[in-house]
Amino acid sequence: MPHRAKTMTDIAKECGVSQSTVSLVLSNNPRISEDTRSKVLAAIQRTGYRPNIHARGLATNASRVFSVVLPDLENVFAEEYFGTLLGGIYAGASAAGYKVVVDVANMKFIRTQEYMDLLNSRRADGMIFLGSSLYDKYLVSLEGGGLRVMLVDNYFLDAKLSYVASDHKAAGRLAAEHLLKLGHRRIGLITGTNVQTAQDFLEAAEQTLKAAGIPVEDTPWADGRFSEAKACEAAGSLLAARPDLTAIIAGNDKMALGVMRCAREKGIRVPDDLSVIGMDNVRSAGAASPGLTTVDPHLNNVGLFVARKMLAWMHGEFETCAETLPVDLVVRQSTARPRG
Amino acid sequence: MPHRAKTMTDIAKECGVSQSTVSLVLSNNPRISEDTRSKVLAAIQRTGYRPNIHARGLATNASRVFSVVLPDLENVFAEEYFGTLLGGIYAGASAAGYKVVVDVANMKFIRTQEYMDLLNSRRADGMIFLGSSLYDKYLVSLEGGGLRVMLVDNYFLDAKLSYVASDHKAAGRLAAEHLLKLGHRRIGLITGTNVQTAQDFLEAAEQTLKAAGIPVEDTPWADGRFSEAKACEAAGSLLAARPDLTAIIAGNDKMALGVMRCAREKGIRVPDDLSVIGMDNVRSAGAASPGLTTVDPHLNNVGLFVARKMLAWMHGEFETCAETLPVDLVVRQSTARPRG
DNA sequence: TTGTAGGCGTTATCAA
DNA sequence: TTGATAACGCCTACAA
């Protein structure tokens, strides 16, 4: 370790002023003379002084830190969905002088109620939960209580927890409409479960198909569990039971890729024999599969929006937040066409 | 906000002991009677008390936080290489009660010397730089100074900055040896530059080929800039100038994928007409391209190792760290075979 | 075995 | 326009 870090008092001595004057300069208080201000600022420059973050936090009872909580999945940091959201959040937070700490909602985190720690200990001013599920009942206990907790792409019907989510209902509808417009009438659905937005997506798609006069029994569903492997399996059983399907709607990009892999393995051409349309497009999905039509939630913007919303929340601009962000259909090529 | 958060004094009052007794209990000081200890712990449980992190940091002059600094690339959080490293670091840090804050080494970060801030302000006890380049000259100014700064997969020849890196020399050698063993004699090289380890990789590969009696001019090189697109271009010019190449060694997985894309676009079969071998295998590379042989640096372990090394450093177990971690050749299938 | 008291480096409230 | 001074909550000698 070097010598002791410089403190306000050091700066004050150097300038022959009081420590509180230095503090006032640092907080841009207008009632400081230009003379003093520049003298102090010069000394700060010269000495490389930086305010001690802990002292400041202690005095202000705030940390200017957001915690981003990821689900306990294998290699979750390497997943594009979470990484893209995290990047957006980082950008938004960073622009406002906030830091981002990462956390994983593993068993220890939940059992020891680390989520309470983070806020009680003032390590973070707010928490952002990515990839939470409806099984995460502990989240409901965070309702009210004045804690700044926000869910992303999930929410609870029976709790007023703040959230920001892509418009999954619109996504489901857009996906279905697109396929209908192309003439498809036999459409399978593969989505995740136990996330409210996934259910919204599913319902909207089903609803749209039903409204178009397609009987519910012609619209089979299977659980893709948000994973490529599971979706591949799911697509397999769907296609086996219903070889008449001409299209499949998948709840996210990974599941869409799973469907496409399944098709490939079965020798079904995509998108000639089958059309696939997926949600949560992150660039790799589209790039890897030019034939895939997607509904793009603009994840990067979602992240940015989440950060901004958190900041506004800090400023007390609202009590609870329930925001839904627009999504767009992205047709990469004139691909999907109904079979014979 | 709810009421004021509980403090040690609150707990002390509840138990009819002094505040310092509570502190001693929390630090597991053995000179506290079992009676008192359990009484205090019970109160802590009951009230949900958590120590204020800022007060603690102020008193101990430490934060138990690592900063992980990422390069300023578009969507860097969504890259598998960085995500995997970050995940490993998180796991290691977390197991020791450390938090991880993320940072991006963008212009602001560098210009305002935020890297000094982080440590001076005691926001972090140490910094871990991922994806730094030899152009990041500012890092050299961090030499000595007692700051806990560690580079991952990069180092400076002219500065004693701590680092942990995969054994890129071994990787280059393994790649070359593998191809030689398969009978290849015309091998192209596509690597990144301005990262010391990339140069090590390149030199080791070239050296190995030369030692096997292959003239240097038969081993053309092109800059792939660590990007799939650039590597695709690079492979294009390499193959155009040297259609006799039967194999290409790429410095990382992205560049390897770029090479494979190039080959695909040119109608060259991989690995029949051409063999490709890449470094920095992250699962997607292998999964996406079963024909690709890779050198696996076990990134997750690297991350874990980095975190553990940082912790040991905190404990003063060494002054500077220069560690190299083993890599493994991964042959996915008996793919690479020389052309005619 | 426990309590007292000073200090950590800020912010914020008053006086001057 | 500035300077004392009291928090903020915890840690740690040192005293009892």
Side-chain angles (χ1 to χ4, degrees), chain B residues 222-243:
Chain B
D223 190 353
R225 300 208 202 164
F226 291 117
S227 109
E228 184 176 343
K230 289 293 171 193
C232 184
E233 274 180 46
S237 45
L238 232 49
L239 289 168
R242 297 288 307 271

Side-chain angles (χ1 to χ4, degrees), chain A residues 80 83-85 87 283 300, chain B residues 73-79:
Chain A
E80 212 168 346
T84 308
L85 279 175
R283 75 188 58 185
N300 215 305
Chain B
L73 306 173
E74 170 108 3
N75 244 309
V76 62
F77 288 99
E79 290 204 15

Side-chain angles (χ1 to χ4, degrees), chain A residues 8 19-20 23 49 52 55-56 59:
Chain A
M8 272 192 180
Q19 182 256 34
S20 48
S23 175
Y49 160 81
N52 180 307
R56 178 173 283 178

Side-chain angles (χ1 to χ4, degrees), chain B residues 180-225:
Chain B
L180 286 170
K181 204 172 301 166
L182 291 169
H184 291 274
R185 308 291 292 174
R186 299 289 177 271
I187 301 172
L189 290 157
I190 295 181
T191 67
T193 53
N194 67 46
V195 175
Q196 188 57 47
T197 47
Q199 297 187 9
D200 292 345
F201 177 90
L202 176 59
E203 276 170 27
E206 285 178 333
Q207 195 52 46
T208 306
L209 296 176
K210 195 172 141 200
I214 299 178
V216 186
E217 60 271 23
D218 277 357
T219 303
W221 169 86
D223 190 353
R225 300 208 202 164

Side-chain angles (χ1 to χ4, degrees), chain A residues 1-2 5 48 50-54 99, chain B residues 61-63 65-67 69 103 109 113-129 142 144-150 310 313-314:
Chain A
M1 288 287 114
R50 307 292 171 180
N52 180 307
I53 222 65
H54 297 122
K99 289 283 169 192
Chain B
N61 194 33
S63 54
V65 167
F66 292 142
S67 161
V69 186
D103 279 285
F109 183 86
Q113 304 199 312
E114 230 176 289
Y115 48 97
M116 305 251 53
D117 283 31
L118 274 168
L119 295 163
N120 279 342
S121 69
R122 311 303 326 175
R123 198 192 272 283
D125 297 336
M127 307 184 74
I128 299 168
F129 283 84
L142 265 37
L147 300 178
R148 258 81 232 245
V149 169
M150 179 168 293
M310 286 298 288
W313 202 6
M314 299 287 126

Side-chain angles (χ1 to χ4, degrees), chain A residues 53-54 63 65-70 77 99-110 112-129, chain B residues 50-54 56 62-69 85-103 118-119 122-128 148 303 306-308 310-311 314:
Chain A
I53 222 65
H54 297 122
S63 55
V65 167
F66 291 143
S67 161
V68 173
V69 186
L70 304 171
F77 288 100
K99 289 283 169 192
V100 172
V101 336
V102 292
D103 278 285
V104 172
N106 51 26
M107 263 180 37
K108 178 179 159 243
F109 183 87
I110 295 170
T112 66
Q113 304 199 311
E114 231 175 289
Y115 48 96
M116 305 251 53
D117 283 33
L118 275 167
L119 295 163
N120 279 341
S121 69
R122 312 302 326 175
R123 200 191 271 284
D125 297 336
M127 306 182 74
I128 300 167
F129 283 83
Chain B
R50 306 292 172 179
N52 180 305
I53 221 66
H54 297 121
R56 179 172 280 179
S63 54
R64 297 185 80 80
V65 167
F66 292 142
S67 161
V68 173
V69 186
L85 279 175
L86 181 56
I89 292 170
Y90 174 86
S94 179
Y98 273 69
K99 290 283 169 191
V100 172
V101 335
V102 291
D103 279 285
L118 274 168
L119 295 163
R122 311 303 326 175
R123 198 192 272 283
D125 297 336
M127 307 184 74
I128 299 168
R148 258 81 232 245
V306 167
R308 300 221 177 103
M310 286 298 288
L311 294 165
M314 299 287 126

